[in-house]
Amino acid sequence: MTCCFFGHKDAHSDIYPKIIDAIKSLITEHNVSYFLVGNQGGFDGMVLKALRRLKTEYPYISYNVVLAYMPTEKHEYDPYEFGETMLPEGIEGVHPRYAISWRNKWMVMQSDYMIAYVTHSWGGAAKYYELAQSKKKIIVNIGDM
């Protein structure tokens, strides 16, 4: 089972414990073992931190930071450990202007579950939350907790 993450880029760090709890719940109660996260903002950064931490507790899980663009500068690789990142197949044919949207839709379509931090109905997080709902994905919205 696979889970993706979407949340507002300006998410406050006080939601970090909720991210940890939501991921643990999916691992232990729903056998989710693969996670996909983007790299565009504070929420994604907290998710990556949580996944790195939980990988030590649950060594059988795996995750990828799904990039929208191939990094061109060394400093763009620096935040990531070897093997953490991936480019989704097919994105190489997408115009850069649409790459983030394409990558986000791809993540939703690959997933069975979504952990979201959505507190209002506008913006990218809300858009992909609605897509996940329309595709009947199982969603845990920590913005509601």
Side-chain angles (χ1 to χ4, degrees), residues 17-56:
K18 292 180 180 182
I19 294 170
I20 293 282
D21 290 345
I23 296 170
K24 280 185 174 184
S25 174
L26 290 185
I27 292 169
T28 60
E29 298 171 24
H30 301 280
N31 297 316
V32 176
S33 60
Y34 184 49
F35 299 89
L36 301 170
V37 62
N39 64 333
Q40 253 75 43
F43 179 76
D44 290 345
M46 284 187 278
V47 168
L48 179 56
K49 179 180 172 184
L51 290 169
R52 285 174 173 163
R53 175 179 155 192
L54 291 171
K55 177 81 173 152
T56 63

Side-chain angles (χ1 to χ4, degrees), residues 49-69:
K49 179 180 172 184
L51 290 169
R52 285 174 173 163
R53 175 179 155 192
L54 291 171
K55 177 81 173 152
T56 63
E57 189 173 339
Y58 304 97
Y60 56 89
I61 69 166
S62 59
Y63 63 89
N64 282 114
V65 177
V66 184
L67 304 176
Y69 314 101

Side-chain angles (χ1 to χ4, degrees), residues 61-126:
I61 69 166
S62 59
Y63 63 89
N64 282 114
V65 177
V66 184
L67 304 176
Y69 314 101
M70 175 65 91
T72 57
E73 302 289 329
K74 182 189 178 317
H75 73 273
E76 294 175 297
Y77 288 102
D78 289 344
Y80 307 112
E81 297 173 14
F82 180 78
E84 276 187 328
T85 62
M86 69 169 292
L87 284 167
E89 186 175 339
I91 201 163
E92 65 279 358
V94 177
H95 189 282
R97 180 177 181 164
Y98 305 108
I100 294 172
S101 296
W102 191 94
R103 183 265 326 258
N104 290 350
K105 182 177 179 184
W106 181 91
M107 287 173 46
V108 171
M109 300 309 291
Q110 301 305 307
S111 299
D112 306 291
Y113 292 84
M114 174 189 284
I115 295 175
Y117 176 67
V118 175
T119 60
H120 52 265
S121 62
W122 62 89

